[in-house]
DNA sequence: TATCACATTAGAATTGTTCTTGTCAAGATA
DNA sequence: TATCTTGACAAGAACAATTCTAATGTGATA
């Protein structure tokens, strides 16, 4: 996320304890947690935390570009505090999502773009993670 | 889908009128419809068709590899009767999904695979479709 | 202090998807 | 033909994920 509390406050947002807890959980988190994951983790310290607050906060962070929403998991939204463009490995067994450092140079000929104005790209490599390989 | 009614029957399935309607709608469809899209289209000819039947049929087709489920739309599942591996253009404005003919040779060094057994890959190019460009 | 702008909470509402149950029809079997 | 078996169907309930709403709280500012 590369977002210090100071930067956060400077961007005109209030830094509440609940938000701090959500930020702290997200900061450097490489597990691509779902909203539920965030909720479960943060609730430990804030038992009154509402699920809606988590969604609201994630939505707000997404709008401000502090978090990216991933689509690789068909069951729930997953969030990535690492906003630098990068690709992912996705386990079709347990839905684990792992960052990929490899970069690819993907360019499309204008003729192939169907008139789209391309803004970015994302590669999902699918397969079985070590854990799931063992289980089969 | 490349799935004739004959092949379908041969694979041990009953070919009911409802299923035929769903198949007919999917056959050659390049719009990557959601379950709801399928339901709305098929309901015109079968007003008593249940949403659950659409889900059941799509699920069954997915299990048999006759249809692929896409994850690019965060709001709903989208289905692709074109099961040949290919990539997509996705409009972030209207969620339109367009097939990409371009092929890419994507290989990962073993060191980058985090122990995953890679089964496939899928690229999503995101951007704005011509319609949505005009609207902004 | 009074006021404002947001955040927060809790729960309701909505949406998307899956499950359950009773019913039915086609094909197989006797 | 009569019966059996299998699986599809319809309808709605149930469930899960997400969004919305309304009431309340809190910090910043005038
Ligand atoms: Mn990531
Ligand atoms: Mn496609
Ligand atoms: Zn796994
Ligand atoms: Zn568009």
């Amino acid at each position: 996320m590369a977002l210090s509390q100071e930067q956060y406050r400077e961007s005109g947002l209030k830094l509440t304890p609940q938000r701090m807890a959500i930020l702290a959980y997200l900061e450097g988190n490489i597990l691509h947690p779902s909203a539920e994951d965030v909720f479960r983790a943060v609730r430990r310290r804030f038992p009154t935390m509402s699920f809606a607050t988590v969604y609201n906060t994630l939505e707000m962070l997404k709008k401000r570009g502090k978090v990216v929403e991933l689509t690789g998991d068909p069951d729930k939204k997953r969030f990535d505090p690492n906003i630098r463009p990068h690709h992912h490995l996705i386990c079709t067994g347990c839905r684990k999502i792992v960052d990929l450092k490899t970069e690819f140079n993907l360019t499309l000929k204008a003729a192939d773009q169907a008139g789209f104005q391309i803004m970015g790209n994302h590669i999902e490599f699918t397969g079985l993670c070590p854990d799931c390989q063992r289980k089969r």
Side-chain angles (χ1 to χ4, degrees), chain A:
Chain A
M1 190 145 38
L3 177 68
S4 73
Q5 296 186 1
E6 222 162 273
Q7 287 174 316
Y8 187 77
R9 211 190 295 268
E10 273 166 14
S11 76
L13 288 172
K14 290 179 187 169
L15 192 54
T16 62
Q18 290 86 345
R19 286 195 165 183
M20 277 177 62
I22 293 176
L23 284 170
Y25 176 72
L26 288 175
E27 185 83 39
N29 188 314
I30 57 169
L31 299 175
H32 309 91
S34 65
E36 194 188 0
D37 294 332
V38 176
F39 177 62
R40 270 209 293 263
V42 173
R43 187 176 44 176
R44 276 187 240 130
R45 290 209 288 132
F46 292 88
T48 66
M49 165 82 66
S50 153
F51 213 148
T53 299
V54 174
Y55 272 108
N56 292 340
T57 303
L58 287 171
E59 186 60 27
M60 182 271 292
L61 290 172
K62 196 176 77 183
K63 270 208 195 91
R64 299 189 178 240
K66 306 302 184 193
V67 153
V68 176
E69 176 183 335
L70 302 181
T71 55
D73 184 339
D75 292 332
K76 41 184 73 171
K77 295 181 176 177
R78 305 278 289 261
F79 297 89
D80 196 338
N82 177 5
I83 59 173
R84 296 191 45 208
H86 62 286
H87 308 296
H88 293 99
L89 292 167
I90 303 184
C91 177
T92 53
C94 64
R95 302 293 177 202
K96 194 180 298 163
I97 302 181
V98 176
D99 280 345
L100 208 47
K101 303 248 182 301
T102 321
E103 299 194 12
F104 297 86
N105 185 23
L106 303 177
T107 49
L108 282 178
K109 286 184 212 123
D112 291 342
Q113 296 185 11
F116 273 59
Q117 175 186 349
I118 308 286
M119 311 293 294
N121 63 70
H122 179 230
I123 311 176
E124 292 169 355
F125 288 87
T126 51
L128 284 181
C129 75
D131 289 347
C132 289
Q133 285 172 54
R134 233 170 280 128
K135 285 178 195 156
R136 318 270 152 142

